[in-house]
């Protein structure tokens, strides 16, 4: 006989992993508060990294046609879980052409079977971490970084190990990185161009990562969602193109960034069929496949892309220069980005903490930004989590940036204490 009957008005507790995540998520409230404030009328929102210009016209028109043209009605049904074949082929052709990848070379060609279409890089990240790591495994993450790295690592049950990036250039310190590797390390998670710091890994840095991954037998998850946005002399280098790395790398890419279509939720993971088979377990059991008409739109857009991406990378580069100059003139210590969608500025010379400065910018200049407390992962080094760094999204129309610059230039910052 069982004991006392359960209280019919109570429900069982949520899973342990969910409850731990609730307890660990200490910055969610600040983020939500800033998000609501930054979306108020009259605020120039350089907080969240979504474009305020239109995404690829070619992709949108082709997707719209797929949705309404009776001759294309089949495109409104499930596609194969790995992706619509036309998109897998278009991705393969696009990467081989853009990066000069070749069959039999070290930087070997990407075939359609090396492509798994995901629900954005976010799902790609989850499926990769779930495939490559689990309880007892350590995942190395650079700090600061894209907030999902920490939470997703925890959600899959693995242990995040943080390696600090130091300003002003936020380049990785290979000695510090090697010191963080233990026998439990399974995955090195890298991101280039970097969110939020705008650093693009050099060829030498990629070789350094490859050397460590091979020496310590690690997988690499390489988040390259901003691959097409590099500035000046900076170039995008792919870790998968380093000798011996293709087999142990999952590269995450995204139409959110490539074609400025963040709401479409389509991306792709590039790897070997064996590793993608692992990712497909989680992709198949969460979403099954990405939206078919949108995949079609992206296949068409990739097919005609000439590398200019409708002028967006040039626009973002100009935005970085404009905003960087204004912030420097106001006394911020600016890290001029080498690529990506963000610019970071240190508030120390102004005598302000990050959150304090973000709130001042919001209330006095009505410019929304993200403070360091959001994109720095909390660590156990005793460093104040309110780091004196602000992140500005620069994936915006030129007039948006000009308005933000005008407001920031007019603002009176308190005299340094
Ligand atoms: C570095 C990085 N990786 C991944 C993502 C998520 O991309 P997606 O929209 O494809 O899920 C973002 C979005 O901001 C990002 O900044």
């Amino acid at each position: 006989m069982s004991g006392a009957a359960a209280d019919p008005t109570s429900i069982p507790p949520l899973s342990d992993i969910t409850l731990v995540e609730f307890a660990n998520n200490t910055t969610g409230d600040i983020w939500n508060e800033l998000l609501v404030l930054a979306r108020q009328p009259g605020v120039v929102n350089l907080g969240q990294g979504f474009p305020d210009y239109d995404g690829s016209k070619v992709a949108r028109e082709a997707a719209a046609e797929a949705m309404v043209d009776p001759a294309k009605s089949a495109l409104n049904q499930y596609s194969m879980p790995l992706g619509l074949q036309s998109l897998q082929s278009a991705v393969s052709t696009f990467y081989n052409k853009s990066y000069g990848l070749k069959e039999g070379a070290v930087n070997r060609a990407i075939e359609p079977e090396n492509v798994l279409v995901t629900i954005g890089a976010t799902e790609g990240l989850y499926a990769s971490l779930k495939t490559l790591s689990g309880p007892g495994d350590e995942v190395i993450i650079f700090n600061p970084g894209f907030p999902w790295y920490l939470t997703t690592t925890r959600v899959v049950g693995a242990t995040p190990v943080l390696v600090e990036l130091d300003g002003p250039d936020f380049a990785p310190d290979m000695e510090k990185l090697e010191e963080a590797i233990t026998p439990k390390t399974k995955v090195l998670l890298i991101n280039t161009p970097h969110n939020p710091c705008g650093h693009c890994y050099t060829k030498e840095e990629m070789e350094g990562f490859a050397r460590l991954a091979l020496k310590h037998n690690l997988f690499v998850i390489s988040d390259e969602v901003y691959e097409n946005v590099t500035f000046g002399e900076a170039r995008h280098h792919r870790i998968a193109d380093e000798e011996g790395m293709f087999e142990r790398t999952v590269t995450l890419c995204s139409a959110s960034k490539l074609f400025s279509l963040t709401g479409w939720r389509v991306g792709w993971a590039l790897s070997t069929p064996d590793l993608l088979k692992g990712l497909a377990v989680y992709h198949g059991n969460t979403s099954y496949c990405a939206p078919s008409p949108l995949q079609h739109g992206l296949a068409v857009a990739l097919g005609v892309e000439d590398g200019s991406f409708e002028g967006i990378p040039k626009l973002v580069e100009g935005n970085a220069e404009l905003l960087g100059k204004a912030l420097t003139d106001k006394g911020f210590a600016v890290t001029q980005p080498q690529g990506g969608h963000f610019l970071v500025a240190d508030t120390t010379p102004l005598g302000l903490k990050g959150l304090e400065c973000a709130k001042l910018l919001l209330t006095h200049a009505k410019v929304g930004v993200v403070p360091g407390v959001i994109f720095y992962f909390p660590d156990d080094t005793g460093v104040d989590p309110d780091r004196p760094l602000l992140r500005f999204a620069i994936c915006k129309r030129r007039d948006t940036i000009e308005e933000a610059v005008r407001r920031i230039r007019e603002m009176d910052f308190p005299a340094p204490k």
Side-chain angles (χ1 to χ4, degrees), residues 106-400:
V106 171
N107 55 343
R108 71 190 224 199
I110 291 170
E111 304 296 340
E113 62 181 17
N114 299 121
V115 181
L116 164 62
V117 180
T118 56
I119 307 295
T122 305
E123 191 206 31
L125 176 69
Y126 174 77
S128 308
L129 281 168
K130 193 87 182 147
T131 302
L132 307 176
S133 66
D137 296 328
E138 292 178 351
V139 175
I140 294 192
I141 299 171
F142 286 106
N143 194 19
F146 179 54
W148 273 250
Y149 298 154
L150 187 76
T151 49
T152 311
T153 301
R154 278 196 310 237
V155 166
V156 308
T159 305
V161 173
L162 303 179
V163 175
E164 186 89 4
L165 293 171
D166 297 318
D169 62 354
F170 299 96
D173 176 332
M174 293 297 170
E175 273 177 36
K176 240 198 259 180
L177 172 58
E178 188 156 22
E179 276 165 23
I181 297 173
T182 75
K184 291 186 183 167
T185 310
K186 201 71 189 298
V187 177
L188 169 61
L189 180 37
I190 61 175
N191 169 217
T192 183
H194 190 264
N195 172 5
C197 302
H199 181 69
C200 292
Y201 295 137
T202 60
K203 177 83 175 121
E204 291 68 35
E205 284 164 350
M206 282 307 191
E207 285 165 3
F209 290 137
R211 189 178 50 76
L212 291 180
L214 292 166
K215 179 172 165 193
H216 297 279
N217 196 22
L218 310 179
F219 286 116
V220 173
I221 299 175
S222 187
D223 180 340
E224 303 182 11
V225 297
Y226 300 109
E227 61 188 306
N228 64 327
V229 187
T230 55
F231 310 146
E233 303 289 295
R235 292 286 169 273
H236 180 68
H237 298 285
R238 292 168 18 90
I239 184 94
D241 294 343
E242 295 299 324
E243 183 128 38
M245 290 306 295
F246 195 93
E247 295 76 9
R248 57 178 69 237
T249 300
V250 179
T251 307
L252 302 177
C253 312
S254 174
S256 297
K257 315 298 176 180
L258 213 55
F259 290 114
S260 312
L261 294 164
T262 58
W264 277 27
R265 312 308 306 124
V266 183
W268 41 89
L270 307 176
S271 194
T272 61
D274 280 351
L275 292 193
L276 293 185
K277 201 169 151 195
L279 270 71
V281 170
Y282 304 101
H283 170 67
N285 281 287
T286 49
S287 56
Y288 185 70
C289 67
S292 307
L294 306 187
Q295 293 192 64
H296 169 74
L298 293 167
V300 174
L302 278 172
V304 299
E305 183 52 55
D306 62 1
S308 67
F309 293 91
E310 300 183 3
I312 298 300
K314 280 274 159 251
L315 168 74
V316 178
E317 181 169 11
N319 289 346
E321 280 162 25
L322 201 63
L323 184 64
K325 170 131 189 18
L327 292 169
T328 305
D329 290 348
K330 282 306 229 186
F332 287 86
V334 172
T335 296
Q336 212 53 47
Q338 298 170 330
H341 281 186
F342 304 100
L343 175 148
V344 289
D346 194 324
T347 59
T348 311
L350 298 172
L352 293 169
K353 291 191 155 204
L355 191 53
E356 189 184 9
C357 192
K359 286 188 173 164
L360 279 176
L361 279 167
L362 197 55
T363 43
H364 293 285
K366 291 212 175 302
V367 174
V369 302
V370 175
V373 68
I374 300 294
F375 53 78
Y376 268 103
F377 305 121
D379 56 26
D380 50 13
T381 56
V383 177
D384 181 356
D386 185 9
R387 308 276 194 116
L389 209 63
L390 298 182
R391 188 193 82 172
F392 297 76
I394 49 174
C395 49
K396 304 289 173 182
R397 292 193 313 262
R398 181 57 50 77
D399 60 330
T400 306

